[in-house]
Amino acid sequence: MKNIPDKFKTKISNALDLPTDAILNLPRYVLVSNTSLLIENHNGILEYREQIIRIAVNDGVINIVGNDLEIEELSNQSILICGHITSLTWPEII
């Protein structure tokens, strides 16, 4: 489905009642309080320190800032970050 335009993929996902984030390979974020963040559909770690973790996604970079940040779990599809998260920025969707 790499060569199919995103607008067409969105129409297909809506018609078949499928999750758009999965069809378009969009990142999905699950933030629990300010202590853990699950990111699905990532493209790798760009920077990893106790105060900042930068994760690549299709549309850009997610920046997680905080204290005592750790990567608790990592797979090809998802990454779980724990610690005291004070700031979170992600790419704008246009």
Side-chain angles (χ1 to χ4, degrees):
M1 290 189 64
K2 287 184 179 183
N3 297 329
I4 300 173
D6 286 349
K7 287 182 180 181
F8 186 67
K9 289 180 189 178
T10 302
K11 287 181 181 182
I12 291 172
S13 106
N14 290 337
L16 298 176
D17 200 26
L18 297 171
T20 306
D21 59 325
I23 298 296
L24 297 177
N25 199 32
L26 297 173
R28 180 176 175 176
Y29 315 102
V30 179
L31 179 65
V32 178
S33 182
N34 66 337
T35 59
S36 67
L37 173 66
L38 175 66
I39 303 169
E40 296 177 346
N41 297 327
H42 70 89
N43 293 332
I45 302 166
L46 300 176
E47 184 176 356
Y48 179 32
R49 295 185 283 147
E50 282 188 33
Q51 296 81 23
I52 187 167
I53 299 176
R54 298 176 67 233
I55 307 295
V57 293
N58 282 348
D59 294 346
V61 177
I62 302 165
N63 297 299
I64 303 100
V65 178
N67 300 307
D68 301 320
L69 298 177
E70 294 181 314
I71 296 176
E72 292 285 324
E73 295 180 24
L74 175 65
S75 73
N76 290 341
Q77 295 84 23
S78 64
I79 184 168
L80 176 63
I81 298 167
C82 295
H84 181 78
I85 300 168
T86 57
S87 173
L88 176 62
T89 58
W90 54 83
E92 283 188 40
I93 297 177
I94 298 174

